[in-house]
Amino acid sequence: MAIDIHVAEVQSLLGDTGAELENLETERTRLSEAASRLQEALTGCAGLDTGIARVHEDIFRPDPTDIMIRCNNAVQGTGQAVSAYLAGDDEMVQNIQNAQAAAASGEYHTQTQYGLRHSQAVS
């Protein structure tokens, strides 16, 4: 199975998503402030003020916060996956270069025994 991640596109998308998350955070704050103002405006209205307070505590505050946390975790996790993908590519390139250098040197390596590697020249 071959996996090909278009790194530049993914990084661009992550940057765009991060910017949108910042905008959502601003809107989440505005929603919370509006709910608080509504609650203050309804102070003294029998039942309405406590109902609005309950909606604010049960929905307006936790849901957007949970969504923001999940979105941020997804963006961060994807960024870490892309970094690991790039590190794997770098490691693979290094292994290929090492193999090519070993092939060009005329030496071959035997099995490692007790942490020691034995090299022998090919005649």
Side-chain angles (χ1 to χ4, degrees):
M1 175 174 74
I3 298 175
D4 185 21
I5 297 175
H6 301 278
V7 175
E9 293 172 19
V10 172
Q11 289 174 330
S12 175
L13 181 60
L14 289 175
D16 292 347
T17 305
E20 289 299 323
L21 283 174
E22 288 178 22
N23 291 339
L24 285 175
E25 178 61 25
T26 300
E27 293 304 318
R28 184 187 70 82
T29 301
R30 289 180 62 204
L31 175 64
S32 181
E33 290 168 354
S36 295
R37 287 192 309 273
L38 178 60
Q39 186 178 349
E40 288 173 17
L42 295 174
T43 299
C45 295
L48 270 176
D49 56 350
T50 56
I52 292 298
R54 206 168 68 239
V55 167
H56 181 253
E57 289 301 312
D58 293 346
I59 297 171
F60 286 163
R61 193 170 51 87
D63 285 356
T65 300
D66 290 344
I67 291 168
M68 294 295 297
I69 290 169
R70 286 192 295 270
C71 289
N72 189 56
N73 288 345
V75 168
Q76 296 297 320
T78 303
Q80 291 170 352
V82 169
S83 294
Y85 177 80
L86 290 172
D89 276 357
D90 291 344
E91 182 180 350
M92 183 174 50
V93 167
Q94 186 62 46
N95 288 340
I96 290 170
Q97 290 172 342
N98 290 344
Q100 289 172 337
S105 74
E107 292 186 349
Y108 70 94
H109 298 284
T110 61
Q111 286 284 4
T112 304
Q113 185 177 11
Y114 307 113
L116 300 173
R117 184 172 287 227
H118 307 283
S119 296
Q120 298 175 349
V122 176
S123 43

